[in-house]
Amino acid sequence: MGVGETSYGGMLCYIFLLFALPWCFAHGLEANQSALLTVDASPQSGQKIPDTLFGIFFEEINHAGAGGIWAELVSNRGFEAGGPNTPSNIDPWSITGQESFIYVSTDRTSCFPRNEVALRMEVLCDNTGSVICPSDGVGIYNPGYWGMNIEQGKTYKLILYVRSLNSINISVSLTSSDGLQKLASASILADASDVSNWTRVELLLESVETNMNSRLQLTTTNKGVIWFDQVSLMPSDTYKGHGFRKELISMIEDMKPRFIRFPGGCFVEGEWLRNAFRWRETIGPWEERPGHFGDVWMYWTDDGLGYLEFLQLAEDLGASPIWVFNNGISHNDEVDTTAILPFDVLDSIEFARGSRDSKWGSVRAGMGHPEPFQLEYVAIGNEDCGKKFYRGNYMKFYYAIKAAYPDIKIISNCDGSSRPLDHPADFYDFHVYTSARNLFSMTNHFDRTSRDGPKAFVSEYAVTGSDAGTGSLLASLGEAAFLIGLERNSDVVEMASYAPLFVNTHDRRWNPDAIVFNSWQQYGTPSYWMQLFFKESSGAIFHPTKIQASFSGAALVASTITWQDPADNSKNLKIKIVNFGSDTVNLKISVSGLEAGINSLGATTVLTSGDLMDENSFDKPNKVVPASSKLPNTGTEMDVAISPHSITSFDLPLIPMEYRSAI
């Protein structure tokens, strides 16, 4: 066809361009954008990322510990949740059987001086005589934390303390929530002389069926008075045998955290100091721990998950423990600096680090951990900067710790990202909760931070509010861009962790959270899966990455690392790209300076979904999860398409260069 000639087909194309394209643009169906991403992967350009950059923050919130990662199945196992005065509420314990045949109350007769409350159960019926007990007896039951997950073939260790002036015949059983289905049972038989004083009983119960909404029952058909205290039921199979729920901890393991900050958060402070976390009260035999009411998040914890257990979990995960301690300040009251003493925290450090011959190290050794823990970080308080006595109290703790343990790194609550601190610190704590767009824009926040002075510990970050829902794709996009900024600025950012980590769906005190669970199932929100894109970053080499776009490239953020897999010592190049925009981007990737070749077969992983507010749920746990596929024909020059509203990772194995002699 010659110049100036036209055709019917050509006219259709012209009409399409004239009318259809404007309609597409108006309805969000824009033509693909294009951009160039260049990576300088030369060794001299690389920046070592701290080994500790990404970790986890655990707080006792949302029943994350009690009824969560701590595998204890009995709620209010010591009957202390109603307070030290008697009679008191024993919730969630309840009566089973004919209520007119049994009286249940609390009294202060326990053999444990730090938790004196025990349960008194008076049975009025008998197996003979005028008042006959029901065939299943009468007694008490505990439903745990919104139902116990009892699984067929698994064993559960029951420990309880019992006392009676009469002989006892107690039926111990695991049943369905209505008591009709019996999953496991055993009997406690004893003469009066054997139980006239408090007696410890231990049983193993093996379940013959599975029920996710079970309960523990203690019943009898014998008339008399029986006292119970410290009733515990634990699965025999816990994470590394240390009492943690395996399926929840395995999700943490997959994140490869390099540190764990504990036990909070506001849980450390308390609304009032009388309810703050006290480490001394959480060590020693579990039966002797008094427990306490967490008045910030409004529920009782028996402190089976205590200071030692947190240190043990960090060790089991291969993560550095970061101990956050109360500095004499709560949300509503404070200890004057003139009255504060540092000895309590020094004792806590000796408990973790002291030799087995030291005062507090010997206590740790007596609890089964003779070797010291590698405690290298402590945080003085939580979100207390600006409160009346914080700086004064901080200085007392700072100098006392440095004098005794000069190698310990100390974290201040005050933000030093915008202006210098007015007190000494090794790190400063930075918290941010905001919208997805704001957090996306904060990818550059630490670009402007001074390179002198203490480094940042971004111990709490998350997208919250309407952008987040209960865990949306949109939230994860803003967070991923923010983390890329932390990678780029890892010369002044030492550590970062998402918050909160866990939520029991029955007690959702905060939205969103990374991992959602109930008694028997769990799933990760998009924010959880987002963090897995960064699990190789700690200790990796960060390489300069630049985006050039034919459009406004503000919706794209990218980073590149090289990292070594400890499993086989293989080296890998990883390019991460966040597309916050609504357009597909045709991206040309150009990598220069590599000392090794790129394997021709790589992989790509994408986190996206059909709607920005898509979430996961128990019904659809994999609605928004990363999808991986092989990426053939990889090399230093690649043309790829980046989906709108997505996080994309290109994982490229490197082939070491062969060195040949010039001779």
Side-chain angles (χ1 to χ4, degrees):
M1 185 178 296
V3 176
E5 293 181 324
T6 185
S7 70
Y8 181 69
M11 182 61 70
L12 287 178
C13 291
Y14 174 78
I15 293 171
F16 175 81
L17 291 172
L18 185 63
F19 295 103
L21 277 185
W23 184 92
C24 292
F25 276 84
H27 290 78
L29 301 176
E30 295 91 338
N32 291 354
Q33 307 285 7
S34 60
L36 170 66
L37 185 148
T38 57
V39 178
D40 180 359
S42 60
Q44 59 270 25
S45 73
Q47 169 187 304
K48 174 73 159 52
I49 295 175
D51 292 334
T52 55
L53 184 58
F54 293 121
I56 58 172
F57 161 48
F58 180 89
E59 179 171 7
E60 182 60 89
I61 178 177
N62 306 318
H63 272 87
I69 65 169
W70 190 240
E72 173 63 66
L73 294 171
V74 176
S75 177
N76 190 18
R77 67 185 178 192
F79 308 101
E80 308 291 330
N85 298 313
T86 58
S88 59
N89 181 9
I90 61 170
D91 186 70
W93 291 91
S94 297
I95 290 173
T96 182
Q98 182 65 42
E99 291 188 11
S100 60
F101 291 170
I102 183 173
Y103 293 151
V104 171
S105 63
T106 53
D107 61 24
R108 297 166 64 90
T109 60
S110 175
C111 59
F112 301 110
R114 291 208 296 175
N115 42 20
E116 296 179 335
V117 176
L119 184 82
R120 181 183 186 274
M121 184 176 82
E122 182 175 0
V123 177
L124 306 178
C125 58
D126 209 339
N127 51 27
T128 60
S130 59
V131 182
I132 303 296
C133 289
S135 58
D136 290 335
V138 295
I140 55 174
Y141 72 86
N142 188 290
Y145 297 91
W146 302 283
M148 299 178 179
N149 181 35
I150 302 300
E151 298 181 66
Q152 183 178 12
K154 292 192 175 182
T155 58
Y156 301 84
K157 180 187 289 187
L158 175 79
I159 298 174
L160 61 80
Y161 289 77
V162 63
R163 182 173 73 91
S164 181
L165 302 179
N166 307 304
S167 60
I168 58 172
N169 183 354
I170 300 168
S171 175
V172 177
S173 58
L174 300 177
T175 74
S176 56
S177 61
D178 57 9
L180 299 179
Q181 178 191 25
K182 189 165 289 187
L183 310 172
S185 62
S187 296
I188 302 174
L189 299 168
D191 293 331
S193 59
D194 295 326
V195 290
S196 59
N197 295 314
W198 282 104
T199 303
R200 185 180 191 270
V201 175
E202 181 174 326
L203 297 170
L204 285 178
L205 301 171
E206 182 175 350
S207 180
V208 296
E209 294 186 62
T210 293
N211 190 307
M212 290 82 73
N213 189 22
S214 304
R215 70 190 198 188
L216 169 69
Q217 289 191 169
L218 304 172
T219 58
T220 186
T221 58
N222 286 7
K223 184 177 181 179
V225 177
I226 304 173
W227 284 266
F228 293 106
D229 199 12
Q230 298 303 327
V231 182
S232 169
L233 183 71
M234 291 279 280
S236 297
D237 185 21
T238 61
Y239 180 70
K240 297 192 175 181
H242 291 143
F244 291 92
R245 186 168 151 182
K246 292 177 71 173
E247 65 272 22
L248 294 181
I249 302 303
S250 69
M251 293 187 71
I252 296 178
E253 270 190 322
D254 291 343
M255 299 167 70
K256 298 183 180 178
R258 296 300 183 91
F259 66 82
I260 174 171
R261 175 183 181 237
F262 65 86
C266 298
F267 185 70
V268 170
E269 301 161 282
E271 286 293 322
W272 299 92
L273 281 171
R274 63 177 175 267
N275 292 318
F277 182 87
R278 306 293 185 187
W279 73 274
R280 293 175 194 265
E281 305 297 302
T282 74
I283 62 170
W286 61 266
E287 300 98 325
E288 298 177 13
R289 302 181 190 184
H292 78 287
F293 180 65
D295 61 354
V296 175
W297 307 120
M298 300 300 292
Y299 59 88
W300 173 264
T301 57
D302 59 32
D303 288 332
L305 174 55
Y307 184 45
L308 176 94
E309 287 74 24
F310 281 118
L311 291 167
Q312 183 66 68
L313 178 60
E315 183 177 82
D316 288 344
L317 289 170
S320 296
I322 300 179
W323 162 225
V324 186
F325 62 83
N326 186 284
N327 64 105
I329 297 175
S330 77
H331 288 179
N332 292 300
D333 56 344
E334 304 180 40
V335 177
D336 191 299
T337 299
T338 59
I340 203 77
L341 295 173
F343 302 120
D344 183 69
V345 70
L346 294 179
D347 289 346
S348 76
I349 296 172
E350 183 178 277
F351 177 90
R353 293 182 36 152
S355 72
R356 69 186 75 182
D357 298 323
S358 64
K359 176 182 176 180
W360 288 102
S362 66
V363 175
R364 181 199 67 241
M367 294 180 67
H369 200 284
E371 297 304 316
F373 290 103
Q374 299 298 309
L375 178 63
E376 299 174 349
Y377 305 90
V378 298
I380 301 178
N382 171 75
E383 294 182 347
D384 294 327
C385 187
K387 294 180 180 176
K388 183 177 180 180
F389 295 114
Y390 180 70
R391 278 173 174 77
N393 293 3
Y394 174 92
M395 296 302 290
K396 274 197 170 181
F397 285 113
Y398 179 89
Y399 286 117
I401 294 169
K402 285 294 186 182
Y405 302 96
D407 64 306
I408 281 189
K409 303 298 188 295
I410 297 178
I411 303 162
S412 166
N413 287 182
C414 300
D415 176 17
S417 65
S418 301
R419 58 185 178 184
L421 299 181
D422 62 359
H423 53 276
D426 295 295
F427 303 102
Y428 60 86
D429 208 351
F430 182 91
H431 295 183
V432 57
Y433 297 99
T434 187
S435 68
R437 185 164 296 280
N438 282 348
L439 199 58
F440 181 89
S441 68
M442 287 180 68
T443 188
N444 299 315
H445 179 81
F446 290 96
D447 293 359
R448 302 178 291 274
T449 295
S450 170
R451 268 44 202 170
D452 300 321
K455 295 185 178 182
F457 177 20
V458 184
S459 68
E460 298 183 34
Y461 73 85
V463 169
T464 53
S466 59
D467 284 355
T470 57
S472 68
L473 171 66
L474 176 59
S476 70
L477 297 177
E479 291 155 358
F482 180 65
L483 294 195
I484 282 177
L486 300 189
E487 284 184 327
R488 186 176 63 254
N489 288 287
S490 59
D491 58 322
V492 293
V493 179
E494 188 79 8
M495 297 175 283
S497 50
Y498 179 93
L501 182 60
F502 284 108
V503 59
N504 187 315
T505 191
H506 293 285
D507 189 34
R508 192 181 284 273
R509 304 273 170 168
W510 185 281
N511 284 321
D513 309 273
I515 299 171
V516 184
F517 66 91
N518 58 23
S519 68
W520 63 281
Q521 55 189 162
Q522 60 285 321
Y523 66 85
T525 63
S527 293
Y528 168 79
W529 294 108
M530 175 278 301
Q531 292 176 74
L532 267 62
F533 281 77
F534 295 83
K535 64 183 181 180
E536 292 92 8
S537 296
S538 298
I541 303 298
F542 179 85
H543 297 285
T545 302
K546 184 178 180 180
I547 295 174
Q548 296 171 285
S550 59
F551 61 101
S552 174
L556 289 182
V557 177
S559 71
T560 303
I561 63 170
T562 50
W563 64 282
Q564 188 164 335
D565 189 340
D568 57 8
N569 292 322
S570 62
K571 292 186 177 181
N572 303 269
L573 180 75
K574 187 182 192 77
I575 301 172
K576 296 188 293 291
I577 302 162
V578 177
N579 185 357
F580 200 68
S582 56
D583 301 328
T584 296
V585 176
N586 292 324
L587 186 67
K588 183 176 182 63
I589 298 176
S590 179
V591 181
S592 63
L594 276 173
E595 288 189 321
I598 294 179
N599 192 307
S600 62
L601 183 62
T604 183
T605 303
V606 181
L607 180 68
T608 190
S609 192
D611 190 287
L612 275 171
M613 297 308 296
D614 278 350
E615 302 182 359
N616 294 328
S617 64
F618 288 128
D619 291 335
K620 296 181 179 179
N622 298 318
K623 184 174 185 177
V624 190
V625 298
S628 297
S629 59
K630 293 181 179 179
L631 186 66
N633 303 317
T634 60
T636 56
E637 304 286 332
M638 296 188 299
D639 292 301
V640 296
I642 306 300
S643 300
H645 303 140
S646 67
I647 307 168
T648 302
S649 172
F650 297 101
D651 296 280
L652 311 174
L654 299 181
I655 304 171
M657 298 291 288
E658 294 183 7
Y659 290 92
R660 297 179 181 177
S661 172
I663 301 175

Short mmCIF file of all heavy atoms in Angstrom, two decimals, residues 658-663:
data_model
loop_
_atom_site.label_atom_id
_atom_site.label_comp_id
_atom_site.label_asym_id
_atom_site.label_seq_id
_atom_site.Cartn_x
_atom_site.Cartn_y
_atom_site.Cartn_z
N GLU A 658 35.22 -18.33 36.62
CA GLU A 658 36.39 -19.20 36.62
C GLU A 658 37.65 -18.36 36.44
O GLU A 658 37.73 -17.51 35.56
CB GLU A 658 36.29 -20.22 35.49
CG GLU A 658 35.15 -21.21 35.66
CD GLU A 658 35.14 -22.25 34.55
OE1 GLU A 658 36.11 -22.25 33.75
OE2 GLU A 658 34.20 -23.06 34.50
N TYR A 659 38.60 -18.59 37.33
CA TYR A 659 39.86 -17.85 37.25
C TYR A 659 40.88 -18.69 36.48
O TYR A 659 41.12 -19.86 36.81
CB TYR A 659 40.38 -17.53 38.66
CG TYR A 659 39.53 -16.52 39.36
CD1 TYR A 659 38.47 -16.93 40.18
CD2 TYR A 659 39.75 -15.16 39.20
CE1 TYR A 659 37.67 -16.02 40.83
CE2 TYR A 659 38.95 -14.22 39.84
CZ TYR A 659 37.92 -14.66 40.66
OH TYR A 659 37.13 -13.74 41.29
N ARG A 660 41.41 -18.11 35.46
CA ARG A 660 42.36 -18.85 34.62
C ARG A 660 43.74 -18.20 34.71
O ARG A 660 43.87 -16.98 34.73
CB ARG A 660 41.88 -18.83 33.17
CG ARG A 660 40.54 -19.55 32.99
CD ARG A 660 40.08 -19.48 31.54
NE ARG A 660 38.78 -20.13 31.37
CZ ARG A 660 38.13 -20.17 30.23
NH1 ARG A 660 38.64 -19.58 29.14
NH2 ARG A 660 36.96 -20.78 30.15
N SER A 661 44.74 -19.04 34.77
CA SER A 661 46.12 -18.54 34.84
C SER A 661 46.52 -17.91 33.52
O SER A 661 46.14 -18.38 32.43
CB SER A 661 47.07 -19.69 35.19
OG SER A 661 48.40 -19.26 35.09
N ALA A 662 47.27 -16.84 33.59
CA ALA A 662 47.76 -16.16 32.38
C ALA A 662 48.97 -16.87 31.79
O ALA A 662 49.45 -16.53 30.70
CB ALA A 662 48.13 -14.71 32.71
N ILE A 663 49.51 -17.84 32.52
CA ILE A 663 50.71 -18.56 32.04
C ILE A 663 50.32 -19.64 31.06
O ILE A 663 49.42 -20.42 31.31
CB ILE A 663 51.48 -19.18 33.24
CG1 ILE A 663 51.89 -18.08 34.21
CG2 ILE A 663 52.67 -19.98 32.76
CD1 ILE A 663 52.53 -18.59 35.46
#
